[in-house]
Amino acid sequence: MIVIGGGSAGYAAARTARDSGADVAIVDPGPLGGLCILRGCMPTKTILRSAEVAALMRRAGEFGFAPVEVRSRLGAIVDRKNTLVREFADYRIQQLRDPAFTLYESAARFISPQLIQAGSRHLTARSFILATGSIPRDVPIPGLREAGYLTSDELLDVREQPDSLIVLGGGPVGLELGQFFSRIGTRVTLLQRSLHVLSHLDDDIGSTLEQALREDGMEVLTGVSLLRASGGGRAKTVEFLHQGETKSVTGAEMLQALGRRPNIDGLQLGAAGVKVDEDRVVVDGTLRTSQPHIFAVGDVTNLYDIVHIAIQQGELAGFNACHPHGPPKEFDDRLVTEVIFTDPQVAVVGLSEKACRARGVPYLTASYPFADHGKAMVLGSTRGFVKLLAAPETGRLLGAAVVGPEAGELIHELIAVMYYHGTVQDLVRMPHYHPTLAEILTYPAESLAEQVRRA
């Protein structure tokens, strides 16, 4: 087997195939480590922790301490991030260079469905797994390239704090990085084309987060049409249409966070006979492409840009590639989970209300606010809510959303219940320690259990 790409998805595929007895080569041009470690999950969560500390220090008076003047040192924050990322990356590189694999540190391109070129070498294998990840998407906004912008890849290495920042896009990347810079003292304006940030989720999630960000001092404008960009250097201007009026905003830096696209440049997938649809590699439920011996996993499929799902896909594809004559494993999207590490955090699992309506799935829903929850009040973290969705006849948990403190941790209790096809009645019966944040899950569960009894 040849795995093209040594990030989280690629390494998971290679490890699974090796454990199944395959002779595995990994082809990656570097830098080794993958998006999650180098430019995604780990570096962003490291700097967000610094912003959380700064925000809490500014609230010292609420908790009985003398007010604290917080002055950020962006260079020191970046240094801490780099130290941790290097440690994470070194461990991954050690795994990739394990003698159990053959590692080729070069780009790969297909010459035929069975043959690739990796540097000066020609390599062939019984099966291939594409795991080349994603890159920032170019967007056709007049003047944007000339004005100059940063992507999330580049913004993570900025050491001189800008006094103002324009963020284009209200998805997870734009929101997390926008709030980070706002909390360390940069004036941030976020422009979102949809009516709410996080437009792929339910509207109540986006509106709740928008309100929190505005209360923290960010300017968040939604429902905008981006017209053009101009300027350059330390004065970049974006013109846009908002509520029927043409407006503009100027900032020292601009973050283009309008999405990423599968990284397939240079692979020559046409030579391999692999079907591509709008840059994404098309796969079936077993992660096979249009060529039965070629699989694709992670961001390159453009199904989910979430690392733990990429790892699951890598393991599944690695297994299927090594067992061509057995019943294949299929990816199950029932427990798809997403966490956005803003403050308040956002975490979702399973079906949303939008998804239920689109698929014609009947559901009951109930929610409960953190503002009325004792432990949240003690912590001073009362923004947000918990929402559960359940099947009307049985109470089986269909999905959930948590917007609030430690949402990324709280969602895992709901994942566990859903993993075992549990119900809201199960949530009610399970003991919950008092006082804890997790207790809040029982309140909408009680409401739904009562609705199910009446149904």
Side-chain angles (χ1 to χ4, degrees):
M1 175 188 294
I2 294 175
V3 179
I4 303 176
S8 298
Y11 176 70
R15 182 190 61 219
T16 302
R18 176 200 63 195
D19 292 345
S20 295
D23 178 14
V24 181
I26 302 169
V27 182
D28 190 313
L32 298 177
L35 175 64
C36 173
I37 291 175
L38 298 177
R39 296 292 177 191
C41 318
M42 305 316 292
T44 56
K45 280 41 177 187
T46 301
I47 67 171
L48 287 175
R49 178 57 177 164
S50 294
E52 290 170 2
V53 171
L56 194 58
M57 290 172 67
R58 290 192 180 95
R59 298 175 58 194
E62 294 180 35
F63 300 96
F65 295 94
V68 177
E69 181 184 358
V70 180
R71 291 182 294 178
S72 66
R73 294 187 297 139
L74 183 56
I77 294 173
V78 171
D79 286 341
R80 177 175 183 265
K81 178 263 296 182
N82 288 343
T83 298
L84 288 169
V85 167
R86 187 71 264 156
E87 182 178 340
F88 300 141
D90 285 347
Y91 181 64
R92 174 53 51 81
I93 293 169
Q94 179 183 348
Q95 293 175 313
L96 293 172
R97 290 180 174 160
D98 188 297
F101 305 116
T102 303
L103 176 64
Y104 297 94
E105 295 186 52
S106 62
R109 66 182 182 92
F110 279 92
I111 297 172
S112 74
Q114 287 78 30
L115 183 68
I116 67 166
Q117 181 176 347
S120 60
R121 296 178 176 88
H122 288 78
L123 307 173
T124 186
R126 183 174 295 174
S127 60
F128 297 84
I129 296 182
L130 308 177
T132 49
S134 63
I135 55 177
R137 183 184 301 277
D138 291 325
V139 289
I141 299 174
L144 184 62
R145 185 180 296 276
E146 293 75 13
Y149 60 83
L150 300 172
T151 67
S152 57
D153 290 358
E154 297 139 357
L155 192 61
L156 285 167
D157 289 332
V158 169
R159 301 182 66 87
E160 182 179 343
Q161 182 178 341
D163 59 13
S164 54
L165 174 69
I166 303 168
V167 177
L168 305 181
V173 172
L175 291 167
E176 290 182 358
L177 290 177
Q179 188 175 46
F180 165 75
F181 276 95
S182 178
R183 284 187 154 184
I184 66 171
T186 295
R187 177 172 55 84
V188 176
T189 302
L190 185 144
L191 304 178
Q192 163 72 345
R193 293 175 291 184
S194 300
L195 294 179
H196 291 293
V197 300
L198 299 177
S199 57
H200 63 298
L201 303 179
D202 288 339
D203 291 347
D204 53 357
I205 295 174
S207 60
T208 298
L209 184 55
E210 288 165 24
Q211 180 181 351
L213 295 174
R214 291 179 180 125
E215 290 173 355
D216 273 356
M218 275 181 64
E219 184 175 14
V220 180
L221 300 176
T222 59
V224 308
S225 296
L226 301 173
L227 301 176
R228 64 189 61 86
S230 60
R234 292 183 175 273
K236 309 171 197 303
T237 299
V238 176
E239 293 182 51
F240 55 95
L241 189 66
H242 183 241
Q243 296 179 345
E245 298 181 23
T246 299
K247 303 177 182 179
S248 67
V249 61
T250 298
E253 290 290 356
M254 179 159 50
L255 169 62
Q256 194 275 84
L258 294 170
R260 301 178 68 90
R261 67 175 178 85
N263 181 22
I264 60 173
D265 298 351
L267 284 176
Q268 293 188 182
L269 294 179
V274 171
K275 182 180 179 181
V276 174
D277 181 16
E278 296 183 350
D279 288 336
R280 77 177 186 91
V281 180
V282 179
V283 294
D284 63 14
T286 69
L287 283 311
R288 278 187 170 85
T289 69
S290 54
Q291 289 281 8
H293 68 292
I294 301 178
F295 297 74
V297 296
D299 289 3
V300 77
T301 68
N302 203 31
L303 296 175
Y304 308 98
D305 54 352
I306 301 170
V307 70
H308 81 272
I309 294 178
I311 292 171
Q312 290 176 344
Q313 291 178 335
E315 293 170 345
L316 188 153
F319 176 89
N320 286 342
C322 292
H323 299 83
H325 304 300
K329 294 183 178 180
E330 294 204 18
F331 180 72
D332 180 6
D333 65 357
R334 189 174 63 86
L335 298 177
V336 165
T337 304
E338 181 177 9
V339 180
I340 297 96
F341 291 87
T342 47
D343 182 9
Q345 288 184 9
V346 174
V348 294
V349 62
L351 294 176
S352 63
E353 291 192 73
K354 279 186 177 179
C356 285
R357 290 192 292 266
R359 301 182 190 184
V361 176
Y363 70 95
L364 299 172
T365 186
S367 62
Y368 197 87
F370 278 100
D372 192 38
H373 184 54
K375 183 60 183 293
M377 296 164 71
V378 167
L379 294 176
S381 298
T382 56
R383 292 165 167 166
F385 60 90
V386 173
K387 178 171 66 173
L388 305 180
L389 281 69
E393 295 183 357
T394 63
R396 181 170 59 85
L397 197 58
L398 301 175
V402 183
V403 183
E406 301 296 343
E409 307 298 329
L410 292 176
I411 201 70
H412 285 81
E413 177 177 343
L414 300 170
I415 295 172
V417 171
M418 289 182 61
Y419 180 86
Y420 290 105
H421 300 273
T423 65
V424 291
Q425 296 92 326
D426 291 323
L427 267 174
V428 172
R429 288 190 292 264
M430 290 166 55
H432 287 75
Y433 198 88
H434 175 78
T436 61
L437 289 173
E439 283 180 292
I440 196 172
L441 303 177
T442 65
Y443 305 146
E446 289 172 352
S447 175
L448 287 173
E450 181 59 32
Q451 292 182 55
V452 170
R453 280 194 295 269
R454 293 198 305 262

